[in-house]
Amino acid sequence: MPAYRFEALDPAGKTVNGLVEADNPKAARAQLRIQQLVPLKVENVAAGAAGGGEGSGLNKQIFVRRVFNSSALAIWTRQLSGLVVAGLPLERALTALADEAEDPRQRELVSHLRAEVNAGSPFARALAGSPREFDDVYRGVVAAGEQSGQLGGVLDKLANDLEEQQALKSKLIGATLYPAIVSVFAIVIVIALLVFVVPQVAQV
């Protein structure tokens, strides 16, 4: 995915320089707005390298982080699927989720999706404006649901898949941590024996 170097203003009015990955400059600007940044300049890194320009060292360099982690995306997809399956129009479902979002960045993202849908864009195309949040598989599944007229059911299955992936990830982490914890305790016991028990036995 192309990377774009940007210059933007943060909510405090300070200049911010950094890099963001997006399919095109428009999508890059959309991601910046989601991060509550006002884009001033967005250029492809390859094109910028040819020009040899460098940002000021006084400006803060950042990489825009994701709004949804894997767990939050699963929860959000489940909430959206529930509203759509219940018969709520997509734009109203997005409005409800935007209003309920506690994270300002998430609220901004969902509001942007709602605006795109209200403007007539298919939901999958609206999601394409935030490729870091919604990968190709996610967007492809949503597009298939829209084309078949079964968006609610497809979102429900997508939520199931995301939840299963999250559960598997948690199990793998747990399976990895348990041997590590046992090993640490074993090392502590051995050290305790060497420090406290063995010297006493040697003195007998």
Side-chain angles (χ1 to χ4, degrees):
M1 184 179 297
Y4 293 87
R5 180 178 291 109
F6 68 83
E7 180 179 342
L9 295 178
D10 66 11
K14 296 182 179 179
T15 301
V16 176
N17 289 323
L19 294 175
V20 60
E21 291 183 349
D23 290 333
N24 51 58
K26 181 179 178 181
R29 291 188 179 91
Q31 287 195 46
L32 294 176
R33 294 189 184 97
I34 290 169
Q35 306 298 323
Q36 298 184 339
L37 298 174
V38 178
L40 301 176
K41 181 180 179 182
V42 174
E43 64 177 5
N44 189 283
V45 169
E54 293 292 339
S56 170
L58 298 177
N59 293 330
K60 182 172 57 177
Q61 299 289 330
I62 67 170
F63 284 86
V64 179
R65 62 187 179 89
R66 294 182 60 186
V67 175
F68 288 116
N69 57 29
S70 56
S71 177
L73 181 60
I75 293 172
W76 185 81
T77 304
R78 172 64 65 196
Q79 293 172 334
L80 180 60
S81 69
L83 294 174
V84 175
V85 169
L88 206 63
L90 179 59
E91 55 268 27
R92 289 185 59 189
L94 292 172
T95 298
L97 292 180
D99 292 341
E100 293 176 1
E102 296 181 358
D103 184 351
R105 297 166 60 247
Q106 183 174 327
R107 187 183 309 115
E108 184 71 20
L109 171 58
V110 179
S111 296
H112 175 73
L113 295 176
R114 178 190 59 195
E116 291 290 323
V117 171
N118 284 340
S121 294
F123 188 36
R125 183 179 299 174
L127 296 175
S130 303
R132 283 171 59 86
E133 308 300 330
F134 310 101
D135 60 22
D136 292 340
V137 174
Y138 193 104
R139 301 196 306 268
V141 171
V142 169
E146 287 185 297
Q147 292 174 4
S148 66
Q150 300 294 327
L151 181 59
V154 168
L155 285 172
D156 184 65
K157 293 179 180 178
L158 183 57
N160 289 338
D161 290 341
L162 292 172
E163 289 168 353
E164 290 175 1
Q165 292 175 15
Q166 189 64 23
L168 178 59
K169 181 179 179 180
S170 298
K171 289 181 180 179
L172 290 175
I173 292 175
T176 303
L177 285 178
Y178 180 75
I181 293 174
V182 172
S183 298
V184 169
F185 273 109
I187 292 173
V188 170
I189 292 173
V190 170
I191 292 175
L193 289 173
L194 292 175
V195 173
F196 299 106
V197 177
V198 173
Q200 294 180 5
V201 173
Q203 292 176 0
V204 175

